[in-house]
Amino acid sequence: MSVIEVHGLKKSFGDFEVLRGIDLTVEEGERIAIIGGSGCGKSVFLRSLELLETPNAGKIFIDGQEITAPNVDIDKIRRSMGMVWQKFNLFTHMNVMENLCVAPIKLLKMSKDEAREKATALLAQVGLTSKADAYPEFLSGGQQQRIAICRSLMMNPKVILFDEPTSALDPTMVGEVLAVIRMLAKQNLTMLIVTHEMNFAREVATRILFFADGEIYEQGTPAEIFDAPKRPKTIAFIHKQKYFSYEISERDFDLPKMQGGIQTFAEKYGLSTRRKNRLQLCCEELTYEMLENACADGDIKISLDVTYSEINNDIDIKFSCAGKNYNPLAKNLSDELDEENFSTKILQGLAKNFSHEFKDGVNKIIFSLA
């Protein structure tokens, strides 16, 4: 049974289109982690589900009721959703027990005794029974966020929305909040979690949504997204890939400028001097090999793209060169090193993996640096 259905959801701020037509169905018991770069619309999407942001287009159904319909009782529908914010948002003038009980007593007409009994049970689950009479200012950030989760659970929600619940916490407190969410996951509570904690998302979620370009760019199981992402931006995000690009359009190109760009790239991302030197040497030898053997006079079209993965520390070079078919590592080398084979010998020593393809008049080379 679906708890949330979203059809064609769009949201803009002025001319900036944040959400460009989101379609999503969330089934009961699903635990969905929403990941993506900053500013990709993750939090805006979550806020739109409760109409804390008003969509420009689209429909949203919560437990079968359309929250975007005209004249709907928005507050009533919202009661079926819990929301846990980055900044806790506890009432500072109320102690913990009062924070937990005020909404169910006023909105669900729960008796004071019933509310206190439920609150006490929830505090026991998160290890904060002794804090029932404490005020928020005397609690750590991790404790406040655990209380905020309990406050959401007090309303018996069909689904809980977590908007980066650990982003405002000191690193030492992140674990205690994630432990509470893991506990809820074992109870098959339906959850949507915007998070930057990738290991946590892999462990807890049943489905991962990767947001990019104002849409659900790719989705799948944790194994599919983290171990075998299919689309370029997902791959770049998961592997934390960094890029350097350089274009060459003339034979007498500016080699110091290219090498300076590679050095800046290497220093920015902490590559060792040895790897930086090997990268520069590889790019230089590849470029001159192709200029000498593949390019026609006066018609130079070379593109160099370097990718560095922070996750596995790999460096890959993608090199395209228009001209005649030429594979710089295809030479049959003898043991004797001569001038003609010098570049090939260097490249063979630098390569961990190498592939060459010639298609539509363009050499495409992929080179993994050893």
Side-chain angles (χ1 to χ4, degrees), residues 9-14 16 18-19 41-58 60 67-68 74 78 81 83 85 161 163:
L9 182 65
K10 295 183 179 182
K11 176 61 183 176
S12 298
F13 295 98
F16 178 50
V18 180
L19 303 177
K42 306 183 299 293
S43 293
V44 172
F45 172 69
L46 219 61
R47 290 173 59 84
S48 295
L49 295 181
E50 285 204 326
L51 291 196
L52 299 173
E53 300 288 353
T54 304
N56 297 98
I60 302 170
I67 196 171
T68 47
I74 294 173
R78 281 177 179 157
M81 287 188 289
M83 187 83 176
W85 310 88
L161 312 177
D163 186 12

PDB file of all heavy atoms in Angstrom, residues 9-14 16 18-19 41-58 60 67-68 74 78 81 83 85 161 163:
ATOM      1  N   LEU A   9       5.741  16.864  -9.684  1.00  0.00           N
ATOM      2  CA  LEU A   9       5.993  17.949  -8.729  1.00  0.00           C
ATOM      3  C   LEU A   9       7.062  18.908  -9.262  1.00  0.00           C
ATOM      4  O   LEU A   9       8.173  18.501  -9.590  1.00  0.00           O
ATOM      5  CB  LEU A   9       6.443  17.372  -7.388  1.00  0.00           C
ATOM      6  CG  LEU A   9       6.712  18.376  -6.268  1.00  0.00           C
ATOM      7  CD1 LEU A   9       5.426  19.103  -5.870  1.00  0.00           C
ATOM      8  CD2 LEU A   9       7.327  17.694  -5.058  1.00  0.00           C
ATOM      9  N   LYS A  10       6.702  20.200  -9.321  1.00  0.00           N
ATOM     10  CA  LYS A  10       7.631  21.234  -9.757  1.00  0.00           C
ATOM     11  C   LYS A  10       7.667  22.354  -8.722  1.00  0.00           C
ATOM     12  O   LYS A  10       6.650  22.690  -8.123  1.00  0.00           O
ATOM     13  CB  LYS A  10       7.225  21.808 -11.113  1.00  0.00           C
ATOM     14  CG  LYS A  10       7.286  20.812 -12.252  1.00  0.00           C
ATOM     15  CD  LYS A  10       6.932  21.474 -13.588  1.00  0.00           C
ATOM     16  CE  LYS A  10       7.024  20.478 -14.731  1.00  0.00           C
ATOM     17  NZ  LYS A  10       6.722  21.117 -16.045  1.00  0.00           N
ATOM     18  N   LYS A  11       8.872  22.908  -8.537  1.00  0.00           N
ATOM     19  CA  LYS A  11       9.029  24.030  -7.612  1.00  0.00           C
ATOM     20  C   LYS A  11      10.118  24.952  -8.122  1.00  0.00           C
ATOM     21  O   LYS A  11      11.228  24.521  -8.429  1.00  0.00           O
ATOM     22  CB  LYS A  11       9.383  23.531  -6.206  1.00  0.00           C
ATOM     23  CG  LYS A  11       9.646  24.656  -5.206  1.00  0.00           C
ATOM     24  CD  LYS A  11       8.432  25.551  -4.998  1.00  0.00           C
ATOM     25  CE  LYS A  11       8.735  26.711  -4.060  1.00  0.00           C
ATOM     26  NZ  LYS A  11       7.585  27.627  -3.927  1.00  0.00           N
ATOM     27  N   SER A  12       9.778  26.238  -8.205  1.00  0.00           N
ATOM     28  CA  SER A  12      10.734  27.255  -8.639  1.00  0.00           C
ATOM     29  C   SER A  12      10.800  28.369  -7.616  1.00  0.00           C
ATOM     30  O   SER A  12       9.824  28.649  -6.915  1.00  0.00           O
ATOM     31  CB  SER A  12      10.328  27.840  -9.997  1.00  0.00           C
ATOM     32  OG  SER A  12      10.330  26.849 -10.999  1.00  0.00           O
ATOM     33  N   PHE A  13      11.958  29.006  -7.560  1.00  0.00           N
ATOM     34  CA  PHE A  13      12.134  30.235  -6.796  1.00  0.00           C
ATOM     35  C   PHE A  13      12.547  31.305  -7.797  1.00  0.00           C
ATOM     36  O   PHE A  13      13.695  31.351  -8.231  1.00  0.00           O
ATOM     37  CB  PHE A  13      13.191  30.058  -5.710  1.00  0.00           C
ATOM     38  CG  PHE A  13      12.805  29.061  -4.640  1.00  0.00           C
ATOM     39  CD1 PHE A  13      13.274  27.760  -4.697  1.00  0.00           C
ATOM     40  CD2 PHE A  13      11.962  29.430  -3.604  1.00  0.00           C
ATOM     41  CE1 PHE A  13      12.924  26.833  -3.725  1.00  0.00           C
ATOM     42  CE2 PHE A  13      11.601  28.515  -2.622  1.00  0.00           C
ATOM     43  CZ  PHE A  13      12.083  27.216  -2.686  1.00  0.00           C
ATOM     44  N   GLY A  14      11.590  32.133  -8.201  1.00  0.00           N
ATOM     45  CA  GLY A  14      11.845  33.072  -9.285  1.00  0.00           C
ATOM     46  C   GLY A  14      12.077  32.318 -10.576  1.00  0.00           C
ATOM     47  O   GLY A  14      11.284  31.441 -10.955  1.00  0.00           O
ATOM     48  N   PHE A  16      14.609  30.342 -10.998  1.00  0.00           N
ATOM     49  CA  PHE A  16      15.407  29.150 -10.707  1.00  0.00           C
ATOM     50  C   PHE A  16      14.488  27.967 -10.426  1.00  0.00           C
ATOM     51  O   PHE A  16      13.777  27.935  -9.430  1.00  0.00           O
ATOM     52  CB  PHE A  16      16.321  29.404  -9.514  1.00  0.00           C
ATOM     53  CG  PHE A  16      17.148  28.224  -9.120  1.00  0.00           C
ATOM     54  CD1 PHE A  16      17.900  27.527 -10.066  1.00  0.00           C
ATOM     55  CD2 PHE A  16      17.194  27.799  -7.803  1.00  0.00           C
ATOM     56  CE1 PHE A  16      18.663  26.442  -9.710  1.00  0.00           C
ATOM     57  CE2 PHE A  16      17.962  26.716  -7.430  1.00  0.00           C
ATOM     58  CZ  PHE A  16      18.700  26.034  -8.387  1.00  0.00           C
ATOM     59  N   VAL A  18      13.930  24.501  -9.160  1.00  0.00           N
ATOM     60  CA  VAL A  18      14.602  23.569  -8.252  1.00  0.00           C
ATOM     61  C   VAL A  18      14.146  22.137  -8.502  1.00  0.00           C
ATOM     62  O   VAL A  18      14.966  21.215  -8.563  1.00  0.00           O
ATOM     63  CB  VAL A  18      14.342  23.958  -6.784  1.00  0.00           C
ATOM     64  CG1 VAL A  18      15.047  22.993  -5.833  1.00  0.00           C
ATOM     65  CG2 VAL A  18      14.803  25.384  -6.525  1.00  0.00           C
ATOM     66  N   LEU A  19      12.843  21.932  -8.630  1.00  0.00           N
ATOM     67  CA  LEU A  19      12.279  20.609  -8.914  1.00  0.00           C
ATOM     68  C   LEU A  19      11.591  20.666 -10.268  1.00  0.00           C
ATOM     69  O   LEU A  19      10.771  21.541 -10.520  1.00  0.00           O
ATOM     70  CB  LEU A  19      11.282  20.201  -7.829  1.00  0.00           C
ATOM     71  CG  LEU A  19      11.812  20.184  -6.391  1.00  0.00           C
ATOM     72  CD1 LEU A  19      10.693  19.836  -5.418  1.00  0.00           C
ATOM     73  CD2 LEU A  19      12.980  19.214  -6.237  1.00  0.00           C
ATOM     74  N   GLY A  41      17.967  20.141  -4.483  1.00  0.00           N
ATOM     75  CA  GLY A  41      16.519  20.102  -4.267  1.00  0.00           C
ATOM     76  C   GLY A  41      16.040  19.065  -3.279  1.00  0.00           C
ATOM     77  O   GLY A  41      14.824  18.902  -3.092  1.00  0.00           O
ATOM     78  N   LYS A  42      16.942  18.381  -2.586  1.00  0.00           N
ATOM     79  CA  LYS A  42      16.539  17.317  -1.661  1.00  0.00           C
ATOM     80  C   LYS A  42      15.627  17.852  -0.553  1.00  0.00           C
ATOM     81  O   LYS A  42      14.542  17.327  -0.320  1.00  0.00           O
ATOM     82  CB  LYS A  42      17.775  16.655  -1.028  1.00  0.00           C
ATOM     83  CG  LYS A  42      18.809  16.146  -1.994  1.00  0.00           C
ATOM     84  CD  LYS A  42      19.956  15.438  -1.277  1.00  0.00           C
ATOM     85  CE  LYS A  42      20.709  16.315  -0.309  1.00  0.00           C
ATOM     86  NZ  LYS A  42      21.468  17.418  -0.958  1.00  0.00           N
ATOM     87  N   SER A  43      16.100  18.887   0.138  1.00  0.00           N
ATOM     88  CA  SER A  43      15.328  19.433   1.265  1.00  0.00           C
ATOM     89  C   SER A  43      14.062  20.131   0.786  1.00  0.00           C
ATOM     90  O   SER A  43      13.022  20.066   1.455  1.00  0.00           O
ATOM     91  CB  SER A  43      16.189  20.402   2.078  1.00  0.00           C
ATOM     92  OG  SER A  43      17.244  19.718   2.726  1.00  0.00           O
ATOM     93  N   VAL A  44      14.130  20.792  -0.362  1.00  0.00           N
ATOM     94  CA  VAL A  44      12.939  21.436  -0.927  1.00  0.00           C
ATOM     95  C   VAL A  44      11.870  20.386  -1.230  1.00  0.00           C
ATOM     96  O   VAL A  44      10.680  20.587  -0.975  1.00  0.00           O
ATOM     97  CB  VAL A  44      13.296  22.231  -2.196  1.00  0.00           C
ATOM     98  CG1 VAL A  44      12.028  22.734  -2.898  1.00  0.00           C
ATOM     99  CG2 VAL A  44      14.193  23.406  -1.842  1.00  0.00           C
ATOM    100  N   PHE A  45      12.297  19.253  -1.757  1.00  0.00           N
ATOM    101  CA  PHE A  45      11.353  18.165  -2.027  1.00  0.00           C
ATOM    102  C   PHE A  45      10.691  17.695  -0.740  1.00  0.00           C
ATOM    103  O   PHE A  45       9.462  17.541  -0.675  1.00  0.00           O
ATOM    104  CB  PHE A  45      12.069  16.999  -2.707  1.00  0.00           C
ATOM    105  CG  PHE A  45      11.216  15.773  -2.843  1.00  0.00           C
ATOM    106  CD1 PHE A  45      10.123  15.754  -3.700  1.00  0.00           C
ATOM    107  CD2 PHE A  45      11.486  14.636  -2.092  1.00  0.00           C
ATOM    108  CE1 PHE A  45       9.319  14.625  -3.815  1.00  0.00           C
ATOM    109  CE2 PHE A  45      10.689  13.500  -2.203  1.00  0.00           C
ATOM    110  CZ  PHE A  45       9.602  13.501  -3.072  1.00  0.00           C
ATOM    111  N   LEU A  46      11.480  17.468   0.310  1.00  0.00           N
ATOM    112  CA  LEU A  46      10.930  16.988   1.569  1.00  0.00           C
ATOM    113  C   LEU A  46       9.957  18.008   2.161  1.00  0.00           C
ATOM    114  O   LEU A  46       8.867  17.642   2.629  1.00  0.00           O
ATOM    115  CB  LEU A  46      12.077  16.728   2.554  1.00  0.00           C
ATOM    116  CG  LEU A  46      11.948  15.502   3.447  1.00  0.00           C
ATOM    117  CD1 LEU A  46      11.866  14.230   2.619  1.00  0.00           C
ATOM    118  CD2 LEU A  46      13.136  15.402   4.402  1.00  0.00           C
ATOM    119  N   ARG A  47      10.315  19.282   2.111  1.00  0.00           N
ATOM    120  CA  ARG A  47       9.439  20.329   2.640  1.00  0.00           C
ATOM    121  C   ARG A  47       8.162  20.452   1.816  1.00  0.00           C
ATOM    122  O   ARG A  47       7.104  20.779   2.358  1.00  0.00           O
ATOM    123  CB  ARG A  47      10.183  21.663   2.673  1.00  0.00           C
ATOM    124  CG  ARG A  47      11.293  21.727   3.718  1.00  0.00           C
ATOM    125  CD  ARG A  47      12.114  23.010   3.605  1.00  0.00           C
ATOM    126  NE  ARG A  47      11.275  24.188   3.772  1.00  0.00           N
ATOM    127  CZ  ARG A  47      10.922  24.715   4.928  1.00  0.00           C
ATOM    128  NH1 ARG A  47      11.348  24.162   6.053  1.00  0.00           N
ATOM    129  NH2 ARG A  47      10.177  25.791   5.005  1.00  0.00           N
ATOM    130  N   SER A  48       8.256  20.175   0.534  1.00  0.00           N
ATOM    131  CA  SER A  48       7.065  20.249  -0.333  1.00  0.00           C
ATOM    132  C   SER A  48       6.046  19.178   0.019  1.00  0.00           C
ATOM    133  O   SER A  48       4.846  19.377  -0.172  1.00  0.00           O
ATOM    134  CB  SER A  48       7.483  20.102  -1.801  1.00  0.00           C
ATOM    135  OG  SER A  48       8.289  21.186  -2.215  1.00  0.00           O
ATOM    136  N   LEU A  49       6.503  18.049   0.537  1.00  0.00           N
ATOM    137  CA  LEU A  49       5.579  16.973   0.889  1.00  0.00           C
ATOM    138  C   LEU A  49       4.617  17.403   1.991  1.00  0.00           C
ATOM    139  O   LEU A  49       3.497  16.887   2.074  1.00  0.00           O
ATOM    140  CB  LEU A  49       6.354  15.729   1.338  1.00  0.00           C
ATOM    141  CG  LEU A  49       7.216  15.046   0.279  1.00  0.00           C
ATOM    142  CD1 LEU A  49       7.900  13.820   0.864  1.00  0.00           C
ATOM    143  CD2 LEU A  49       6.398  14.663  -0.951  1.00  0.00           C
ATOM    144  N   GLU A  50       5.044  18.343   2.824  1.00  0.00           N
ATOM    145  CA  GLU A  50       4.170  18.865   3.882  1.00  0.00           C
ATOM    146  C   GLU A  50       3.607  20.236   3.522  1.00  0.00           C
ATOM    147  O   GLU A  50       2.989  20.891   4.357  1.00  0.00           O
ATOM    148  CB  GLU A  50       4.940  18.959   5.202  1.00  0.00           C
ATOM    149  CG  GLU A  50       5.158  17.612   5.873  1.00  0.00           C
ATOM    150  CD  GLU A  50       5.378  17.749   7.366  1.00  0.00           C
ATOM    151  OE1 GLU A  50       5.982  18.750   7.778  1.00  0.00           O
ATOM    152  OE2 GLU A  50       4.929  16.859   8.110  1.00  0.00           O
ATOM    153  N   LEU A  51       3.837  20.674   2.285  1.00  0.00           N
ATOM    154  CA  LEU A  51       3.425  22.004   1.807  1.00  0.00           C
ATOM    155  C   LEU A  51       4.052  23.126   2.629  1.00  0.00           C
ATOM    156  O   LEU A  51       3.472  24.216   2.735  1.00  0.00           O
ATOM    157  CB  LEU A  51       1.907  22.148   1.761  1.00  0.00           C
ATOM    158  CG  LEU A  51       1.166  21.320   0.714  1.00  0.00           C
ATOM    159  CD1 LEU A  51      -0.248  21.857   0.543  1.00  0.00           C
ATOM    160  CD2 LEU A  51       1.873  21.301  -0.629  1.00  0.00           C
ATOM    161  N   LEU A  52       5.208  22.848   3.200  1.00  0.00           N
ATOM    162  CA  LEU A  52       5.989  23.931   3.796  1.00  0.00           C
ATOM    163  C   LEU A  52       6.637  24.758   2.693  1.00  0.00           C
ATOM    164  O   LEU A  52       7.030  25.900   2.920  1.00  0.00           O
ATOM    165  CB  LEU A  52       7.045  23.355   4.739  1.00  0.00           C
ATOM    166  CG  LEU A  52       6.474  22.556   5.922  1.00  0.00           C
ATOM    167  CD1 LEU A  52       7.584  21.887   6.701  1.00  0.00           C
ATOM    168  CD2 LEU A  52       5.646  23.457   6.830  1.00  0.00           C
ATOM    169  N   GLU A  53       6.761  24.165   1.525  1.00  0.00           N
ATOM    170  CA  GLU A  53       7.047  24.871   0.282  1.00  0.00           C
ATOM    171  C   GLU A  53       5.877  24.597  -0.643  1.00  0.00           C
ATOM    172  O   GLU A  53       5.449  23.446  -0.781  1.00  0.00           O
ATOM    173  CB  GLU A  53       8.350  24.382  -0.370  1.00  0.00           C
ATOM    174  CG  GLU A  53       9.595  24.556   0.471  1.00  0.00           C
ATOM    175  CD  GLU A  53      10.030  26.008   0.589  1.00  0.00           C
ATOM    176  OE1 GLU A  53       9.437  26.870  -0.087  1.00  0.00           O
ATOM    177  OE2 GLU A  53      10.969  26.276   1.360  1.00  0.00           O
ATOM    178  N   THR A  54       5.334  25.627  -1.253  1.00  0.00           N
ATOM    179  CA  THR A  54       4.175  25.460  -2.121  1.00  0.00           C
ATOM    180  C   THR A  54       4.625  25.115  -3.534  1.00  0.00           C
ATOM    181  O   THR A  54       5.321  25.911  -4.177  1.00  0.00           O
ATOM    182  CB  THR A  54       3.328  26.740  -2.161  1.00  0.00           C
ATOM    183  OG1 THR A  54       2.961  27.103  -0.827  1.00  0.00           O
ATOM    184  CG2 THR A  54       2.073  26.526  -3.000  1.00  0.00           C
ATOM    185  N   PRO A  55       4.270  23.956  -4.054  1.00  0.00           N
ATOM    186  CA  PRO A  55       4.683  23.575  -5.406  1.00  0.00           C
ATOM    187  C   PRO A  55       4.068  24.496  -6.459  1.00  0.00           C
ATOM    188  O   PRO A  55       2.978  25.037  -6.276  1.00  0.00           O
ATOM    189  CB  PRO A  55       4.150  22.147  -5.555  1.00  0.00           C
ATOM    190  CG  PRO A  55       3.909  21.670  -4.162  1.00  0.00           C
ATOM    191  CD  PRO A  55       3.520  22.881  -3.378  1.00  0.00           C
ATOM    192  N   ASN A  56       4.781  24.650  -7.568  1.00  0.00           N
ATOM    193  CA  ASN A  56       4.241  25.392  -8.714  1.00  0.00           C
ATOM    194  C   ASN A  56       3.355  24.516  -9.577  1.00  0.00           C
ATOM    195  O   ASN A  56       2.508  25.024 -10.320  1.00  0.00           O
ATOM    196  CB  ASN A  56       5.384  25.951  -9.559  1.00  0.00           C
ATOM    197  CG  ASN A  56       6.226  26.954  -8.789  1.00  0.00           C
ATOM    198  OD1 ASN A  56       7.271  26.599  -8.261  1.00  0.00           O
ATOM    199  ND2 ASN A  56       5.777  28.192  -8.689  1.00  0.00           N
ATOM    200  N   ALA A  57       3.565  23.206  -9.502  1.00  0.00           N
ATOM    201  CA  ALA A  57       2.752  22.263 -10.277  1.00  0.00           C
ATOM    202  C   ALA A  57       2.896  20.883  -9.658  1.00  0.00           C
ATOM    203  O   ALA A  57       3.841  20.611  -8.917  1.00  0.00           O
ATOM    204  CB  ALA A  57       3.199  22.243 -11.740  1.00  0.00           C
ATOM    205  N   GLY A  58       1.933  20.020  -9.957  1.00  0.00           N
ATOM    206  CA  GLY A  58       1.992  18.649  -9.484  1.00  0.00           C
ATOM    207  C   GLY A  58       1.006  18.350  -8.374  1.00  0.00           C
ATOM    208  O   GLY A  58       0.358  19.254  -7.829  1.00  0.00           O
ATOM    209  N   ILE A  60       0.321  15.836  -4.741  1.00  0.00           N
ATOM    210  CA  ILE A  60       0.919  15.027  -3.685  1.00  0.00           C
ATOM    211  C   ILE A  60      -0.202  14.361  -2.897  1.00  0.00           C
ATOM    212  O   ILE A  60      -1.135  15.040  -2.442  1.00  0.00           O
ATOM    213  CB  ILE A  60       1.771  15.890  -2.730  1.00  0.00           C
ATOM    214  CG1 ILE A  60       2.879  16.610  -3.490  1.00  0.00           C
ATOM    215  CG2 ILE A  60       2.356  15.028  -1.615  1.00  0.00           C
ATOM    216  CD1 ILE A  60       3.601  17.664  -2.658  1.00  0.00           C
ATOM    217  N   ILE A  67      -2.922  16.354  -0.555  1.00  0.00           N
ATOM    218  CA  ILE A  67      -2.607  17.526   0.256  1.00  0.00           C
ATOM    219  C   ILE A  67      -2.543  18.786  -0.593  1.00  0.00           C
ATOM    220  O   ILE A  67      -2.666  19.907  -0.087  1.00  0.00           O
ATOM    221  CB  ILE A  67      -1.279  17.313   1.030  1.00  0.00           C
ATOM    222  CG1 ILE A  67      -1.144  18.344   2.156  1.00  0.00           C
ATOM    223  CG2 ILE A  67      -0.073  17.327   0.101  1.00  0.00           C
ATOM    224  CD1 ILE A  67       0.007  18.073   3.105  1.00  0.00           C
ATOM    225  N   THR A  68      -2.391  18.628  -1.920  1.00  0.00           N
ATOM    226  CA  THR A  68      -2.325  19.779  -2.821  1.00  0.00           C
ATOM    227  C   THR A  68      -3.694  20.185  -3.363  1.00  0.00           C
ATOM    228  O   THR A  68      -3.793  21.138  -4.149  1.00  0.00           O
ATOM    229  CB  THR A  68      -1.392  19.459  -4.006  1.00  0.00           C
ATOM    230  OG1 THR A  68      -1.705  18.160  -4.535  1.00  0.00           O
ATOM    231  CG2 THR A  68       0.065  19.485  -3.586  1.00  0.00           C
ATOM    232  N   ILE A  74      -5.120  20.906   5.397  1.00  0.00           N
ATOM    233  CA  ILE A  74      -3.693  20.590   5.337  1.00  0.00           C
ATOM    234  C   ILE A  74      -3.176  20.111   6.692  1.00  0.00           C
ATOM    235  O   ILE A  74      -2.430  19.132   6.782  1.00  0.00           O
ATOM    236  CB  ILE A  74      -2.895  21.818   4.856  1.00  0.00           C
ATOM    237  CG1 ILE A  74      -3.253  22.144   3.404  1.00  0.00           C
ATOM    238  CG2 ILE A  74      -1.393  21.567   4.994  1.00  0.00           C
ATOM    239  CD1 ILE A  74      -2.635  23.434   2.910  1.00  0.00           C
ATOM    240  N   ARG A  78      -1.187  16.669   7.605  1.00  0.00           N
ATOM    241  CA  ARG A  78       0.175  16.748   8.149  1.00  0.00           C
ATOM    242  C   ARG A  78       0.360  15.899   9.408  1.00  0.00           C
ATOM    243  O   ARG A  78       1.473  15.466   9.707  1.00  0.00           O
ATOM    244  CB  ARG A  78       0.517  18.207   8.483  1.00  0.00           C
ATOM    245  CG  ARG A  78       0.912  19.045   7.277  1.00  0.00           C
ATOM    246  CD  ARG A  78       1.151  20.464   7.710  1.00  0.00           C
ATOM    247  NE  ARG A  78       1.569  21.330   6.610  1.00  0.00           N
ATOM    248  CZ  ARG A  78       1.429  22.645   6.603  1.00  0.00           C
ATOM    249  NH1 ARG A  78       0.860  23.258   7.644  1.00  0.00           N
ATOM    250  NH2 ARG A  78       1.841  23.357   5.575  1.00  0.00           N
ATOM    251  N   MET A  81       2.233  12.736   9.202  1.00  0.00           N
ATOM    252  CA  MET A  81       3.656  12.780   8.887  1.00  0.00           C
ATOM    253  C   MET A  81       4.425  13.413  10.034  1.00  0.00           C
ATOM    254  O   MET A  81       4.019  14.447  10.570  1.00  0.00           O
ATOM    255  CB  MET A  81       3.900  13.619   7.614  1.00  0.00           C
ATOM    256  CG  MET A  81       3.472  12.932   6.336  1.00  0.00           C
ATOM    257  SD  MET A  81       4.001  13.883   4.883  1.00  0.00           S
ATOM    258  CE  MET A  81       2.886  15.293   4.999  1.00  0.00           C
ATOM    259  N   MET A  83       8.122  15.147  11.128  1.00  0.00           N
ATOM    260  CA  MET A  83       9.224  15.845  10.477  1.00  0.00           C
ATOM    261  C   MET A  83      10.317  16.076  11.506  1.00  0.00           C
ATOM    262  O   MET A  83      10.057  16.638  12.579  1.00  0.00           O
ATOM    263  CB  MET A  83       8.747  17.189   9.912  1.00  0.00           C
ATOM    264  CG  MET A  83       9.787  17.908   9.077  1.00  0.00           C
ATOM    265  SD  MET A  83       9.821  17.292   7.392  1.00  0.00           S
ATOM    266  CE  MET A  83      11.046  18.398   6.656  1.00  0.00           C
ATOM    267  N   TRP A  85      13.910  17.953  11.888  1.00  0.00           N
ATOM    268  CA  TRP A  85      14.665  19.001  11.214  1.00  0.00           C
ATOM    269  C   TRP A  85      16.152  18.923  11.549  1.00  0.00           C
ATOM    270  O   TRP A  85      16.562  18.243  12.477  1.00  0.00           O
ATOM    271  CB  TRP A  85      14.136  20.380  11.645  1.00  0.00           C
ATOM    272  CG  TRP A  85      12.662  20.526  11.537  1.00  0.00           C
ATOM    273  CD1 TRP A  85      11.732  20.209  12.487  1.00  0.00           C
ATOM    274  CD2 TRP A  85      11.918  21.009  10.418  1.00  0.00           C
ATOM    275  NE1 TRP A  85      10.460  20.481  12.026  1.00  0.00           N
ATOM    276  CE2 TRP A  85      10.551  20.973  10.765  1.00  0.00           C
ATOM    277  CE3 TRP A  85      12.280  21.494   9.153  1.00  0.00           C
ATOM    278  CZ2 TRP A  85       9.558  21.386   9.897  1.00  0.00           C
ATOM    279  CZ3 TRP A  85      11.285  21.904   8.293  1.00  0.00           C
ATOM    280  CH2 TRP A  85       9.941  21.847   8.658  1.00  0.00           C
ATOM    281  N   LEU A 161       9.709  12.113   8.021  1.00  0.00           N
ATOM    282  CA  LEU A 161      10.629  12.762   7.101  1.00  0.00           C
ATOM    283  C   LEU A 161      11.809  13.297   7.907  1.00  0.00           C
ATOM    284  O   LEU A 161      11.621  14.056   8.860  1.00  0.00           O
ATOM    285  CB  LEU A 161       9.931  13.913   6.365  1.00  0.00           C
ATOM    286  CG  LEU A 161       8.556  13.605   5.757  1.00  0.00           C
ATOM    287  CD1 LEU A 161       7.972  14.871   5.127  1.00  0.00           C
ATOM    288  CD2 LEU A 161       8.642  12.482   4.735  1.00  0.00           C
ATOM    289  N   ASP A 163      15.168  15.534   7.607  1.00  0.00           N
ATOM    290  CA  ASP A 163      15.899  16.473   6.752  1.00  0.00           C
ATOM    291  C   ASP A 163      17.305  16.680   7.309  1.00  0.00           C
ATOM    292  O   ASP A 163      17.531  17.518   8.175  1.00  0.00           O
ATOM    293  CB  ASP A 163      15.155  17.804   6.667  1.00  0.00           C
ATOM    294  CG  ASP A 163      15.799  18.768   5.673  1.00  0.00           C
ATOM    295  OD1 ASP A 163      16.668  18.330   4.893  1.00  0.00           O
ATOM    296  OD2 ASP A 163      15.438  19.955   5.686  1.00  0.00           O
TER     297      ASP A 163
END
